[in-house]
């Protein structure tokens, strides 16, 4: 942070000789009633601007010295002092106060009128990296984020801190005057921009570098009336008549923060003679901003520009020596921090975070701040309504359905109807991409599925879609699992011939087959596992309560005709002789878990004569417990508990067990003994497994030898043995 002495010296340096002499004279004759000590003439006479600043502070301290300088301006020629910046510096303090009040609060997307949250309390640090990835690297990342756990994605990268954004890479490097923040939709660009404004105004950031930061919303400027750069700056300032001439007289001390370059409309390919060089000249908004970006207008000023990759190509050729910084969203630790900041009640935060952490797909998805907010908002609404989180938010499908509703509901009127009507095109595009193992789409792909430019723009605004990097115009879904979610919907949306084909080109290539049998038969054949989550979402979407919700809220009619096909598929796979072939029994359990219909699950589980599954994560245990609870005819159950989960995925009371534990449970309705060997079980898992004991009156012997049940597990066992319905005689 710049010291008072440096500030004084800097402004004293601007005074002409005659004005500096007058200033010294008033310091020598400074009235004592003002509470300050005058500075003797013998010490001021030969002092330069640095020495004079030092003397003022030595005699009176920093606060009083600054007060002396402000008061002394009334004794020096007012025009000269105004010209040299004293009034401007006083205004800067007023401007900082205004910026703090403007940016200290932020509205949630679903906030009622007048509601807001404190930015500092809500903001969670984002991961910033220097690298600019190629298309191949980006494609690999899209797959990695969609497929791997949060742990593996949190690999070391060349990070960048906000404090060093404008610092040269080394002592020989050129100064940095333009920084580009790039990041996908919903990744937190605007929140980060607002945080920078607030930190500067709170004297936490760039104090030695910039006297003024101006926040410019690109879309508002491009759609607004013609004006000059001076007018634009005035619109950022409090009250009338800010000292614009003084502010722009030192452009190197100004940072323009342009948020949302991708939303900037206008011609950026115009000849340079169309650009503006005069800050007082009235121009179109896009020409003003283009002139700033191309360094034709206030070329010494610094720029910080945020954009989605959608506009990176357009922006790139306008810039000279920019520094590119990519926003990667939340690290694993910051996801937890965000939950605890969102929920004011610590118990609610802990419950919500634990629930999402148990679901590896959702937990990984929460690297996107927008998704994190939507998940938190949905969980909070359910908590406030008294609903059980365990019942309403336990599946990935449930959260995605709420996500889709939130985005569509945020649209208004005709725009909402337009998005709903073209949802089918988005679903067919997703399915086509799944079958062709394609995650990046060009504009021709979009047209082939009846998606026009307006439709794509709507999906981009809704954060369902994003535009990709590099010269070619590629699009992708905001996350791999969104593509799989919409691909599943493609198989379930009831046919509406007119709506479904009205935008299709006459030479449209063949659309993907809507035959669910073909989808199920090809399950697991793709090396990257593209169909695994599609089938899971398929089960989740045919949940009758969820289907009704989609029809009521989004006018999406979900066909229930495939329920019988899904049950037959489970039946065939359940009786397969090779239990570990694709799909594995555990994967079938995940499908049933997504459905969350006990009647359907019980019918499906009745076809399992024998179960052998390996459990390695907490989610594996939750899913298997749910299915085992609804299984009443299995002859043999064998579980292998693999303790290789990350530390935070283990239950709080859990103690590390052996590398591989094993337990065998005979059929609760047909067997007389129940054996579990060398098995470590947590209390929550024990409670679900032991519930089977109390439902089987024929089971009289239980063998737990060689196990590390632990105190919590033993407590659950004792509670179960004490139930009247438990008929255990030998333990």
């Amino acid at each position: 942070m710049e010291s008072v002495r440096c500030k004084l010296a800097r402004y004293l340096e601007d005074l002409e000789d005659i004005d500096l002499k007058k200033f010294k004279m008033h310091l020598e004759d400074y009235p004592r009633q003002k509470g300050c000590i005058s500075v003797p003439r013998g010490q001021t006479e030969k002092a330069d601007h640095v020495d004079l600043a030092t003397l003022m502070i030595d005699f009176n301290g920093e606060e009083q010295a600054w007060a002396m300088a402000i008061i002394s301006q009334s004794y020096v020629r007012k025009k000269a002092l105004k010209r040299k910046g004293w009034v401007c510096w006083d205004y800067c303090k007023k401007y900082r106060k205004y910026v703090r009040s403007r940016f200290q609060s932020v509205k949630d997307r679903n906030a009622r009128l007048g509601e807001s949250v404190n930015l500092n309390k809500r903001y969670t640090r984002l991961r910033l990296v220097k690298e600019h990835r190629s298309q191949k690297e980006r494609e690999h990342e899209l797959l990695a984020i969609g497929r791997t756990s949060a742990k593996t994605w949190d690999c070391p990268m060349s990070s960048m801190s906000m404090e060093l954004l404008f610092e040269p890479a080394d002592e020989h490097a050129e100064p940095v005057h333009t920084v580009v923040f790039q990041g996908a939709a919903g990744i937190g660009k605007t929140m980060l921009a607002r945080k920078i404004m607030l930190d500067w105004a709170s004297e936490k950031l760039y104090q030695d570098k910039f006297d003024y930061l101006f926040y410019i919303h690109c879309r508002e400027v491009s759609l607004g009336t013609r004006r000059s750069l001076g007018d634009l700056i005035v619109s950022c300032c409090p009250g009338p008549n800010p000292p614009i001439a003084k502010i722009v007289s030192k452009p190197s001390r100004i940072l323009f923060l342009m948020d949302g370059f991708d939303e900037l409309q206008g011609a950026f390919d115009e000849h340079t003679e169309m650009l503006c060089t005069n800050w007082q000249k009235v121009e179109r908004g896009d020409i003003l901003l283009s002139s700033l970006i191309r360094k034709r207008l206030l070329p010494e000023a610094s720029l910080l520009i945020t954009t989605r990759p959608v506009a990176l190509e357009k922006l790139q050729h306008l810039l000279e020596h920019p520094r590119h910084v990519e926003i990667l969203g939340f690290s694993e630790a910051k996801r937890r921090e965000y939950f605890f900041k969102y929920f004011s009640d610590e118990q609610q935060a802990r419950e919500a975070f634990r629930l999402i952490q148990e679901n590896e797909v959702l937990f990984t998805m929460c690297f996107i701040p927008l998704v994190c907010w939507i998940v938190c908002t949905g969980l909070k609404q359910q908590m406030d309504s008294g609903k059980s989180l365990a019942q309403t938010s336990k599946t990935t499908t449930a959260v995605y359905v709420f996500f889709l509703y939130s985005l569509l509901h945020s649209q208004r009127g005709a725009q909402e109807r337009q998005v709903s009507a073209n949802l089918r095109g988005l679903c067919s595009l997703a399915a086509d991409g799944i079958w062709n193992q394609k995650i990046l789409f060009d504009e021709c792909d979009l047209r082939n599925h009846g998606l026009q430019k307006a439709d794509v723009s709507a999906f981009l605004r809704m954060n369902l879609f994003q535009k990709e990097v590099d010269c070619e115009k590629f699009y992708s879904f905001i996350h791999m699992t969104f593509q799989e979610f919409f691909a599943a919907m493609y198989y379930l949306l009831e046919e509406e011939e007119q709506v479904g084909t009205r935008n299709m080109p006459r030479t449209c290539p063949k659309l993907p087959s809507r035959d669910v049998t073909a989808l199920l038969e090809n399950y697991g054949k793709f090396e990257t596992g593209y169909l695994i989550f599609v089938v899971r979402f398929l089960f989740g979407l045919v949940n009758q309560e969820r289907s009704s919700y989609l029809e009521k809220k989004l006018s999406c009619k979900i066909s229930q005709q495939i329920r019988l096909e899904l049950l037959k598929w489970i039946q065939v796979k359940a009786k397969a002789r090779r239990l570990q072939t694709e799909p594995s029994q555990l994967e079938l359990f995940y499908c049933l878990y997504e459905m969350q219909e006990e009647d359907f699950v019980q019918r499906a589980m009745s076809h399992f004569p024998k179960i052998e599954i390996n459990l390695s994560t907490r989610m594996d245990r939750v899913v298997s417990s749910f299915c085992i609870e609804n299984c009443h005819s299995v002859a043999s159950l064998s579980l292998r508990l693999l303790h290789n989960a990350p530390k935070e995925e283990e239950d709080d009371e859990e103690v590390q067990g052996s590398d591989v534990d094993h337990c065998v449970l005979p059929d609760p309705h047909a067997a007389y003994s129940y054996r579990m060997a060398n098995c470590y079980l947590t209390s929550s898992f024990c409670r679900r497994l032991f519930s089977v004991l109390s439902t089987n009156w024929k089971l009289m012997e239980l063998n737990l030898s060689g196990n590390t049940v632990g105190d919590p597990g033993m407590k659950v066992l004792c509670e179960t043995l004490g139930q009247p319905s438990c008929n255990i005689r030998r333990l």
Side-chain angles (χ1 to χ4, degrees), residues 436-493:
N436 292 290
Q437 301 187 39
K438 190 174 186 178
I439 58 176
L440 297 179
F441 307 95
D442 58 28
E443 293 181 341
C444 181
D445 294 324
L446 305 182
R447 289 193 297 271
N448 287 339
H449 292 272
L451 294 174
Q452 306 302 319
K453 188 174 182 180
D455 309 326
V456 175
S457 298
F459 291 132
L460 285 169
R461 284 193 301 272
M462 291 165 58
N463 301 303
L464 285 175
F465 230 34
Q466 63 188 9
K467 205 169 184 181
E468 285 301 328
V469 197
D470 283 347
C471 296
E472 294 181 272
K473 295 181 178 179
F474 280 105
Y475 297 81
S476 73
F477 287 83
I478 186 66
H479 188 267
M480 183 65 202
T481 47
F482 286 125
Q483 183 174 344
E484 292 158 326
F485 176 79
F486 287 112
M489 286 191 66
Y490 175 73
Y491 290 93
L492 295 171
L493 288 175

Side-chain angles (χ1 to χ4, degrees), residues 44-249:
T44 63
E45 190 172 10
K46 294 184 179 181
D48 61 14
H49 60 284
V50 176
D51 296 333
L52 191 59
T54 303
L55 285 170
M56 292 172 67
I57 292 172
D58 287 346
F59 274 81
N60 291 283
E62 291 185 346
E63 186 175 347
Q64 292 286 16
W66 188 255
M68 287 178 73
I70 296 298
I71 293 173
S72 293
Q73 68 174 308
S74 61
Y75 295 97
V76 183
R77 193 157 44 97
K78 188 175 182 182
K79 183 177 180 181
L81 281 174
K82 277 190 175 183
R83 184 178 69 248
K84 299 308 176 185
W86 291 98
V87 173
C88 184
W89 179 253
D90 195 39
Y91 181 82
C92 183
K93 293 195 296 184
K94 178 181 178 181
Y95 176 71
R96 286 177 189 270
K97 183 178 179 180
Y98 168 74
V99 171
R100 284 197 301 274
S101 66
R102 179 183 171 191
F103 288 92
Q104 66 185 358
S105 298
V106 61
K107 286 185 178 181
D108 270 338
R109 290 172 175 81
N110 62 340
R112 297 186 181 91
L113 186 64
E115 286 186 340
S116 62
V117 294
N118 184 282
L119 176 57
N120 279 329
K121 290 182 179 179
R122 173 65 62 83
Y123 179 79
T124 305
R125 186 163 54 88
L126 297 161
R127 301 186 69 217
L128 309 178
V129 296
K130 300 176 188 176
E131 283 81 2
H132 180 68
R133 276 88 48 78
S134 66
Q135 180 188 323
K136 283 291 183 184
E137 291 171 322
R138 176 61 178 155
E139 188 170 9
H140 174 74
E141 182 212 9
L142 284 168
L143 284 172
I145 293 174
R147 291 286 165 264
T148 59
S149 67
K151 272 247 183 251
T152 58
W153 186 60
D154 286 341
C155 54
M157 293 185 184
S158 181
S159 61
M160 168 66 71
S161 67
M162 287 199 295
E163 293 80 2
L164 302 177
L165 287 177
F166 292 92
E167 298 300 323
D170 55 61
E171 58 182 334
H172 303 295
E174 291 288 324
V176 178
H177 295 297
T178 301
V179 174
V180 177
F181 276 159
Q182 66 180 73
I187 206 71
K189 297 182 295 295
T190 294
M191 187 70 84
L192 181 59
R194 297 181 68 89
K195 176 64 173 171
I196 290 173
M197 292 294 298
L198 180 60
D199 281 355
W200 170 81
S202 303
E203 300 187 20
K204 297 178 181 178
L205 196 63
Y206 305 143
Q207 295 308 293
D208 298 338
K209 200 161 192 69
F210 302 117
D211 293 336
Y212 286 91
L213 263 68
F214 296 111
Y215 179 87
I216 298 173
H217 193 290
C218 291
R219 184 177 66 220
E220 292 178 0
V221 172
S222 68
L223 297 177
T225 57
R226 291 166 58 91
R227 50 184 159 178
S228 68
L229 179 62
D231 296 331
L232 183 58
I233 293 175
V234 169
S235 70
C236 297
C237 295
N241 304 318
I244 299 299
K246 298 306 166 191
I247 293 173
V248 300
S249 68

Side-chain angles (χ1 to χ4, degrees), residues 671-726:
Y672 291 89
S673 65
Y674 192 147
R675 179 171 175 79
M676 302 165 62
N678 300 321
C679 195
Y680 177 78
L681 300 174
T682 63
S683 61
S684 59
F685 192 50
C686 283
R687 192 175 300 279
R688 292 209 158 183
L689 276 183
F690 292 159
S691 67
V692 178
L693 306 181
S694 61
T695 60
N696 181 12
W697 62 271
K698 292 183 179 181
L699 187 59
M700 302 177 67
E701 180 179 337
L702 176 62
N703 188 337
L704 293 174
S705 58
N707 283 276
T708 309
V709 177
D711 291 342
M714 185 59 71
K715 182 179 179 181
V716 174
L717 176 61
C718 291
E719 291 174 359
T720 307
L721 293 173
Q723 293 180 10
S725 55
C726 181

Side-chain angles (χ1 to χ4, degrees), residues 624-640:
S624 60
S625 297
F626 171 77
C627 291
I628 289 171
E629 282 181 314
N630 289 286
C631 183
H632 304 302
S633 60
V634 66
S636 175
L637 172 61
S638 177
L639 305 178
R640 292 174 60 85

